[in-house]
Amino acid sequence: MDKQKNNEIKLIVVAIVCALLLVIGHVILTKAFMGFIWTEYVAAAIPFVMMGLCIFALRYAQKKD
C-alpha cells in the first residue's frame, strides 16, 4: 500500500470513530442508562473527545498535504 492510501485510511478510521461516538452518545442517553452515575460523565466527555479527534485529523491532513 502506498503512503497516500495509508493516510486516507487513518482519516477514515477517525471519521468512523467520530460516528460511533455519536451513536454511543445517543444510546447512553436513553432511559435504560439514566440510573447510572457514569452516564453523565461519558455524555459530557464525548464532545471533547470528538473535538480532539477532529483537531488531530485536521493537523494530520494538513501535515500530509
Side-chain angles (χ1 to χ4, degrees):
M1 226 183 335
D2 64 340
K3 290 183 180 182
Q4 183 67 24
K5 286 185 181 181
N6 193 19
N7 294 336
E8 290 178 6
I9 289 173
K10 288 180 184 177
L11 293 176
I12 288 171
V13 169
V14 169
I16 290 172
V17 169
C18 284
L20 288 174
L21 284 172
L22 285 172
V23 171
I24 290 169
H26 281 86
V27 169
I28 66 169
L29 291 176
T30 60
K31 289 182 182 179
F33 292 105
M34 281 304 197
F36 299 111
I37 296 172
W38 58 267
T39 304
E40 292 182 35
Y41 297 114
V42 172
I46 286 175
F48 295 108
V49 172
M50 287 179 56
M51 190 181 334
L53 282 171
C54 291
I55 290 171
F56 163 76
L58 286 172
R59 288 186 180 173
Y60 181 81
Q62 197 174 35
K63 187 172 81 171
K64 296 296 179 183
D65 209 11

